[in-house]
């Protein structure tokens, strides 16, 4: 899917890590929410409340998922899952465009 139809968008951006990650929250007609954003080249640690699926639209990152010691490389067109109430490390090699699916 290259676009979302009939969504509500929160105008104010979520800005994290001194501007290295910027996203907007959207809500779909069925009530599900997602965030759509960009992460600039950097090494960051994200925490999760709910389970997440990170869908990479473009770019490249090395991700160390909970319980793993070695990073795996993910590129545009791929995704990875993160359990709720956990954290993951991400090294963005090439500016990352993503959609985060919650729940």
């Amino acid at each position: 899917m290259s676009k979302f139809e009939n969504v509500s968008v929160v105008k104010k951006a979520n800005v994290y890590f001194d501007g290295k990650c910027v996203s907007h929250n959207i809500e779909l007609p069925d009530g599900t929410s997602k965030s759509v954003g960009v992460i600039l080249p950097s090494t960051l640690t994200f925490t999760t409340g709910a389970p997440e699926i990170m869908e990479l639209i473009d770019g490249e990152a090395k991700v160390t998922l909970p319980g793993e010691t070695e990073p795996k490389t993910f590129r545009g067109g791929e995704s990875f899952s993160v359990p709720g109430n956990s954290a993951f490390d991400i090294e963005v090699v090439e500016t990352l465009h993503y959609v985060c699916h919650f729940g």
Side-chain angles (χ1 to χ4, degrees):
M1 174 188 315
S2 63
K3 66 179 183 175
F4 295 110
E5 301 284 347
N6 304 313
V7 299
S8 297
V9 178
V10 175
K11 290 181 186 180
K12 185 171 177 162
N14 305 305
V15 180
Y16 303 103
F17 304 106
D18 296 322
K20 292 179 181 90
C21 177
V22 179
S23 68
H24 284 272
N25 292 336
I26 64 171
E27 186 174 312
L28 280 64
D30 66 2
T32 58
S33 63
K34 303 181 184 304
S35 66
V36 178
V38 173
I39 306 173
L40 300 176
S42 54
T43 301
L44 308 169
T45 299
F46 284 89
T47 58
T48 65
E52 300 178 1
I53 297 173
M54 290 286 291
E55 175 188 1
L56 307 186
I57 306 304
D58 196 24
E60 181 178 325
K62 297 176 184 176
V63 179
T64 305
L65 294 167
E68 297 184 8
T69 57
E70 294 297 319
K72 293 181 183 172
T73 299
F74 294 92
R75 295 177 180 83
E78 299 178 321
S79 63
F80 59 90
S81 297
V82 184
N85 300 313
S86 65
F88 66 97
D89 296 322
I90 185 167
E91 178 188 349
V92 176
V93 177
E94 182 183 314
T95 299
L96 199 64
H97 300 257
Y98 71 90
V99 176
C100 183
H101 305 266
F102 299 105

